[in-house]
């Protein structure tokens, strides 16, 4: 790791004011391009709340030069692209193979000054934004936070929700959005960040060529709701944050009591910020933290989280507590206040401070390993703090924090009279269900049958691509030029070896950063749950770190925390996923802890009971989430009872689990011969091999590993619609689909291409273009082939306004029918293949994704060359194979649709 995060970063400012930050990283042949506009919800006021977010959506709608959905252009380039709006900035980002760098620059420059904001498109996208906001409204945490923040900042835009409100969004006029665009989207109000595999001198020349002629803005400020004129952003920022004397109480439908406490803090550039972050880690990071011990270990709370937010003009410290079952919020608040006051009075230890600093610094380093994250850090620092060196200065200051500094900021900012408190008290709710509605008729909608989306138009508007060969462009006869620059380094494969007890290990050395990523798989998933003890596999995985023969839970937590390392276990249907990372020098500690817990965990009674109560509270909250309810009913409806995928935890099944059941399950299913470990990072291969043999070589195995036989499942004979009703939910979530292929099916790669065309991307796919983009019915609509070892599911997921669900489902079914009967086009297939290949290559530049790919290839028992042959298999997919897959795998008359939402849907059949 360079001595600073900004080593090799170069800052350039063009004559028109565009700030450019470049950083060469030659670890993979990919590059990320990001444009950060220094405008966000901070530049709003009541009446136009959400206009920055609305404009972010409109920026994908096309330009005068390219009147086409930009998502389709990004998809055709194979760019992993997206955008977000925050308090101080709006950012657009894309990561691609290096030969697409100029193409991304051209597209970003085009929409910086030529975006079209038309009435019809705005009307459609306002519906999409409202659908998004309704999704947020489903969350009690969001509703509570909105109420509390409005009280903390009554006269500052930081008190407004970043995404806006439905009432304001509905009133947006084209002229308002156009005015906002003209006054904030310009080179002198933007930061262009480029990180990755490029040559700085050549790239800066390209940037000057592409962006240099763009004009500066004329004026800037805040849009008044009453007129299109602008005024200074500071006009809404004159008042300081305030705090009501009594708690804000929300009594609304939901599950679980919530406590939120917010303390105002200074802006990002104030010198107290590093000590405040150290304070936060001492309070809430890990099992040993002060607030976890006071609230969670005592059983008062199910969870406690906190964060320091440091922005351009102000900041805040937010603590969110999920109450334990039947626990009183006033009591929790009293214990929280006492715990903070106790620290202020008695101080913190040097050991606590050093541990928190180590964790904080390690988190920053570990979160900056891939190029997209590195660019995000630079863009955020430049637009929030006005200096891309901010994180370097911040880390240097963190290293100097002393115990007295932590106590000083607690006394200065966490005063009781300064805080604002919010309580969420859920009202009673019941889930009802409308079941088995035959769906024979179809609702006729204004559905456009020209679904191929005129891909020749997409190609026409694509900027030139530097490439020796490009299948998409070759199809339409467009010539391309050969890229200049160095050749790709040789493709490296992981080293494999197997211990005598059957443990399989894969190692790939990568010294680009002084870190290590660990990924693992144990064949001990929820598929093995007994019918009356659903949740047992997850119970075991979640409690592995709660103590071993030689270390108790707090010792294990401390060992990891002292080095800023992380280790987690997560059960899913076909296995337990192990996830860990650390600085390179701490790999031995990470491996030692992992080996100790999988071999010697003891499952203390107290921790098991605490986890049971937490899991029961989590279950209540899950069953209040439309997405979770829809998913659960969908899966249980297509997989019959006694099928390994049918079982889900219930309150009854969780209460049935005893400690001996946990011990027996672990002994039976946690075995070296069903375990795979993959490590990627900066290590010596011989030393790591020796380390792993020493730690895992004595992990004993006896008998044969447990196996399961999945029974065959037939598809439904008719269309079935189900509607579980959740009161008080602003957004409905729909799952549609059926059983499908597993990972070993010969149609798998053709199915991936088919899915990319159908719903692989919510902006560029057929479903996205029709249901989201043209009709504005959904904030997000995606399709998937979830292909496991033993089973597979085809599903479509969408979020809609409750009143739009019927229409969205009808349009989706018509699209399925159309592709099933008519197939797709050659151009669509080539576009999808290019996108899948590019996205795959980009994913391998991320250490976590690379490690997981290596791991799962071994879990599926593929040859290790699969890591690099996957793209060849995608490239060989033909149009005929895709259309055959469409005929065989898309069955619009044999699907299940489950929509979780308001009761109004129960009155009519979902079509």
């Amino acid at each position: 790791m360079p001595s600073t995060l900004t080593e090799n970063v170069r800052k350039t400012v063009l004559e028109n004011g565009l700030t450019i930050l470049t950083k060469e990283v030659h670890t993979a042949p990919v590059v990320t391009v990001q444009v950060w506009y220094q405008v966000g919800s901070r530049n709003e006021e009541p009446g136009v709340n959400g206009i920055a977010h609305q404009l972010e959506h409109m920026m994908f709608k096309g330009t005068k030069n390219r009147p086409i959905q930009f998502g389709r252009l990004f998809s055709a380039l194979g760019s992993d692209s997206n955008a977000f709006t925050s308090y101080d900035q709006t950012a657009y980002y894309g990561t691609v193979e290096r030969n697409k760098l100029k193409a991304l620059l051209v597209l970003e420059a085009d929409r910086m000054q030529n975006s079209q904001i038309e009435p019809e498109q705005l009307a459609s996208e306002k519906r999409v934004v409202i659908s998004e906001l309704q999704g947020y409204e489903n969350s009690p945490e969001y509703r509570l936070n909105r109420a509390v923040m409005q009280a903390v900042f009554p006269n500052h835009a930081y008190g407004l929700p970043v995404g806006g409100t439905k009432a304001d969004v509905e009133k947006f006029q084209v002229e308002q959005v156009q005015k906002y665009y003209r006054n904030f989207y310009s080179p002198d109000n933007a930061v262009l960040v480029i990180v990755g595999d490029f040559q700085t001198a050549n790239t800066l020349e390209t940037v000057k060529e592409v962006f240099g002629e763009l004009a500066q803005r004329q004026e800037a400020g805040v849009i008044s709701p009453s007129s299109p004129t602008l005024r200074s952003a500071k006009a809404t920022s004159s008042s300081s944050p305030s705090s009501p004397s009594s708690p804000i109480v929300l009594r609304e439908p939901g599950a679980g009591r919530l406590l939120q406490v917010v303390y105002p803090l200074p802006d990002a550039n104030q010198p107290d910020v590093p000590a405040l972050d150290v304070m936060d880690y001492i309070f809430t990071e890990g099992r040993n933290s002060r607030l976890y011990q006071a609230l969670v270990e005592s059983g008062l709370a199910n969870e406690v989280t906190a964060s320091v937010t440091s922005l351009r003009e102000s900041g805040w410290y937010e603590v969110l507590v999920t109450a334990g079952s039947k626990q009183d919020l006033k009591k929790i608040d009293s214990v929280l206040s006492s715990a903070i006051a106790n620290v202020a009075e008695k101080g913190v230890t040097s050991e606590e401070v050093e541990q928190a600093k180590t964790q904080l610094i390690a988190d920053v380093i570990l979160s900056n390993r891939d190029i997209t994250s590195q660019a995000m850090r630079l863009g955020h620092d430049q637009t929030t703090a006005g200096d891309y060196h901010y994180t370097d200065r911040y880390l240097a200051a963190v290293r100097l924090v002393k115990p007295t500094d932590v106590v000083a900021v607690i006394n200065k900012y966490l005063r009781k009279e300064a805080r604002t408190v919010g309580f969420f008290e859920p009202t009673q709710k019941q889930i009802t269900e409308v079941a088995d509605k035959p769906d024979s008729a179809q609702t006729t909608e204004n559905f456009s049958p020209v679904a191929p989306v005129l891909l020749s138009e997409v190609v026409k508007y694509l900027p030139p691509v530097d490439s020796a060969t490009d299948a998409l462009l070759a199809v339409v006869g467009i010539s391309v030029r050969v890229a200049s620059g160095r050749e790709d380094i040789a493709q490296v494969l992981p080293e494999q070896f197997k211990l005598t007890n059957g443990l399989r290990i894969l190692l790939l050395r990568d010294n680009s950063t002084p870190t290590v990523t660990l990924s693992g798989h144990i064949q001990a998933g929820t598929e093995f749950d007994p019918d009356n003890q659903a949740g047992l596999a997850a119970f075991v995985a979640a409690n592995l770190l709660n103590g071993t023969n030689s270390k108790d839970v707090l010792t294990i937590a401390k060992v990891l925390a002292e080095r800023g390392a992380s280790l987690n276990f997560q059960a899913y249907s076909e296995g337990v996923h192990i996830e860990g990372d650390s600085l390179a020098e701490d790999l031995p500690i990470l491996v030692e802890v992992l080996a100790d817990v999988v071999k010697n965990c003891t499952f203390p009674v107290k921790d098991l009971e605490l986890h049971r109560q937490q899991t029961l509270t989590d279950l209540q909250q899950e069953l209040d989430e439309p997405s979770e309810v829809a998913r659960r009913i969908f899966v249980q409806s297509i997989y019959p009872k006694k099928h390994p995928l049918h079982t889900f935890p219930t309150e009854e099944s969780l209460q049935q689990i005893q400690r001996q059941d946990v011990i027996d399950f672990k002994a039976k299913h946690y075995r070296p011969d069903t375990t795979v470990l993959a490590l990627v990072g900066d290590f010596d291969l011989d030393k790591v091999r020796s380390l792993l043999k020493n730690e895992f070589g004595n992990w004993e195995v006896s008998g044969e590993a447990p196996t399961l036989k999945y029974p065959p499942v037939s598809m439904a004979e008719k269309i079935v619609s189900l509607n579980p009703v959740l009161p008080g939910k602003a957004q409905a979530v729909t799952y549609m689909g059926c059983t499908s292929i597993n990972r070993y099916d010969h149609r798998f790669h053709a199915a991936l291409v088919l899915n990319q065309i159908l719903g692989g991307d919510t902006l560029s796919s057929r479903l996205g273009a029709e249901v989201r983009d043209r009709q504005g019915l959904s904030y997000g609509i995606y399709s998937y082939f979830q292909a496991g070892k033993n089973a597979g599911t085809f599903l479509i997921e969408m979020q809609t306004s409750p009143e739009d669900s019927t229409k969205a489902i009808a349009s989706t079914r018509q699209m399925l029918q159309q592709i099933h009967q008519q197939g797709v086009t050659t151009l669509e297939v080539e576009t999808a293949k290019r996108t899948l290949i590019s996205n795959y290559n980009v994913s391998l530049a991320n250490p976590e994704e690379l490690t997981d790919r290596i791991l799962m290839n071994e879990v599926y028992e593929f040859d290790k060359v699969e890591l690099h042959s996957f793209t060849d298999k995608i490239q060989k997919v033909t149009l005929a194979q895709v259309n055959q897959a469409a005929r065989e795998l898309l069955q619009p008359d044999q699907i299940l649709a489950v929509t979780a939402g308001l009761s109004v849907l129960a009155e009519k059949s979902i079509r």
Side-chain angles (χ1 to χ4, degrees), residues 345-408:
E345 179 184 347
K346 297 183 179 179
V348 293
T349 67
S350 296
E351 184 182 25
E352 281 181 301
V353 172
E354 291 307 311
Q355 179 176 297
K357 287 158 61 172
T358 299
Q359 289 177 294
L360 205 166
I361 293 167
D363 282 350
V364 172
I365 294 172
L366 290 167
S367 66
N368 278 275
R369 290 179 291 177
D370 63 282
I371 62 169
T372 302
S373 298
Q374 291 177 45
M376 286 282 183
R377 177 77 60 172
L378 293 172
H380 173 271
D381 288 355
Q382 184 65 35
T383 54
T384 299
D387 179 11
Y388 71 91
H389 290 106
Y390 175 79
T391 297
D392 284 338
R393 293 191 285 106
Y394 165 82
L395 290 177
V398 166
R399 293 185 175 96
L400 300 176
V401 171
K402 302 184 296 293
T404 52
D405 299 324
V406 174
V407 174

Side-chain angles (χ1 to χ4, degrees), residues 677-691:
L677 297 178
L679 286 90
V680 174
D682 186 13
F683 47 71
D684 179 277
L685 288 169
D686 291 334
K687 289 181 179 178
V688 172
R689 271 197 303 268
S690 176
L691 170 67

Side-chain angles (χ1 to χ4, degrees), residues 197-218:
D197 191 16
F198 63 89
Q199 301 298 321
T200 301
N202 295 340
T203 298
L204 285 176
E205 287 302 314
T206 301
V207 171
K208 290 173 185 176
E209 171 195 338
V210 173
F211 285 88
E213 299 302 316
L214 300 186
Q216 296 183 0
R217 58 184 170 166
Q218 301 301 310

Side-chain angles (χ1 to χ4, degrees), residues 152-172:
V152 177
F153 294 99
N155 300 303
H156 192 291
Y158 287 160
L160 302 174
V162 171
T165 63
K166 179 182 178 182
D168 282 3
V169 170
E170 286 176 332
K171 293 183 291 189
F172 289 155

Side-chain angles (χ1 to χ4, degrees), residues 507-534:
L507 304 174
L508 183 63
R509 189 162 183 267
D510 171 16
N511 60 0
S512 59
T513 65
T515 63
V516 174
T517 303
L518 181 150
S519 189
H521 175 95
I522 303 175
Q523 193 176 314
T526 60
E527 62 186 0
F528 289 109
D529 277 349
D531 289 342
N532 65 335
Q533 291 181 323

Side-chain angles (χ1 to χ4, degrees), residues 585-618:
E585 62 190 23
D586 297 320
L587 175 60
I589 299 296
L590 184 64
V591 171
E592 287 165 18
V593 172
L594 172 61
D596 192 22
V597 298
V598 298
K599 292 188 298 182
N600 306 312
C601 54
T602 54
F603 302 113
V605 173
K606 177 188 173 186
D607 293 295
L608 282 178
E609 289 309 312
L610 180 62
H611 177 72
R612 189 196 311 274
Q613 294 308 313
Q614 292 171 334
T615 305
L616 288 168
T617 303
D618 289 342

